[in-house]
Amino acid sequence: MGGGAGSSSGGSRDLEGNLGRLAKEYPVSSAGYFGTPGPGGSSRVRNISSSDPAATAGRFFSVAGKGGSVTTHKNGDVTVSSFGGRLRVVFRPHSSSDGSPVVEIYAHHLPGKHPAYQKIHFTRRNP
């Protein structure tokens, strides 16, 4: 998932390009948030539903984190792709709130229309 090291300016271009690629595949709001608002009412917490949430979250992280410096934490339960500065993408296979896979995007000061932070839960699509 992801890979390679990015410089600070190259990292921001990498992350911005990655998010642009994802916006062509997944729903994104005019404010740059992926998916649909979560049940908690916060605009920063979103949901993307699919028939295979784990695979969808893994692929989303792989695309979002491409070009970043990847590290794992908490015995492999957290994977982080860092792009320099405060830019990073975090993948957790199980959220502490509902157990769904989660990708968090920290896009502080990223050029373009991207929120500083968003958390995306990948949920099972209802048949």
Side-chain angles (χ1 to χ4, degrees):
M1 291 189 213
S7 69
S8 187
S9 63
S12 65
R13 284 192 304 273
D14 287 344
L15 182 56
E16 185 174 18
N18 296 348
L19 296 179
R21 280 187 281 290
L22 288 168
K24 294 176 184 175
E25 293 183 51
Y26 297 95
V28 63
S29 74
S30 60
Y33 289 98
F34 287 95
T36 58
S42 170
S43 63
R44 299 179 341 157
V45 179
R46 313 293 286 188
N47 287 338
I48 292 178
S49 63
S50 76
S51 59
D52 188 346
T56 304
R59 184 181 178 294
F60 191 98
F61 174 78
S62 185
V63 173
K66 186 175 183 179
S69 176
V70 178
T71 56
T72 57
H73 307 272
K74 296 191 178 184
N75 294 324
D77 287 341
V78 177
T79 306
V80 179
S81 183
S82 300
F83 293 89
R86 297 170 66 188
L87 302 175
R88 66 189 180 280
V89 180
V90 178
F91 171 73
R92 290 183 286 123
H94 306 286
S95 118
S96 59
S97 61
D98 66 3
S100 66
V102 170
V103 173
E104 294 174 282
I105 302 170
Y106 296 84
H108 302 278
H109 308 297
L110 189 66
K113 194 161 197 168
H114 302 286
Y117 171 80
Q118 61 181 301
K119 179 180 187 179
I120 307 155
H121 287 263
F122 291 82
T123 58
R124 185 160 307 279
R125 181 181 302 130
N126 292 330

Coordinates of all heavy atoms in Angstrom, one line a residue, residues 21-22 38 62 67 76-77 84 112:
R21 N -7.3 11.8 -8.5 CA -7.6 10.5 -9.1 C -8.8 9.9 -8.4 O -9.7 9.3 -9.0 CB -6.4 9.6 -9.1 CG -5.4 9.9 -10.3 CD -4.3 8.9 -10.4 NE -3.3 9.1 -9.4 CZ -2.4 10.2 -9.4 NH1 -2.5 11.1 -10.3 NH2 -1.5 10.3 -8.4
L22 N -8.8 9.9 -7.1 CA -9.9 9.3 -6.3 C -11.2 10.0 -6.6 O -12.3 9.4 -6.6 CB -9.5 9.3 -4.8 CG -8.5 8.3 -4.4 CD1 -8.0 8.6 -3.0 CD2 -9.0 6.9 -4.5
G38 N -21.6 11.1 7.4 CA -21.9 10.0 8.4 C -23.1 10.3 9.2 O -23.6 11.4 9.3
S62 N -4.4 2.9 -0.9 CA -3.3 2.6 -1.8 C -3.1 3.8 -2.8 O -2.0 4.2 -3.1 CB -3.5 1.3 -2.5 OG -2.4 1.0 -3.3
G67 N 3.2 7.4 -3.3 CA 4.3 8.4 -3.3 C 4.7 8.9 -1.9 O 5.7 9.6 -1.8
G76 N 1.0 -3.1 13.5 CA 0.4 -3.3 12.1 C -1.0 -2.9 12.0 O -1.6 -3.0 10.9
D77 N -1.7 -2.4 13.0 CA -3.1 -2.0 13.0 C -3.3 -0.7 12.4 O -4.4 -0.3 12.1 CB -3.7 -2.1 14.4 CG -3.9 -3.5 14.8 OD1 -3.9 -4.4 14.0 OD2 -4.1 -3.7 16.0
G84 N 5.3 14.6 4.1 CA 6.0 15.8 4.6 C 5.1 16.8 5.2 O 3.9 16.9 4.9
G112 N -5.5 23.9 -3.7 CA -6.8 23.4 -4.2 C -7.9 23.3 -3.2 O -7.7 23.8 -2.0

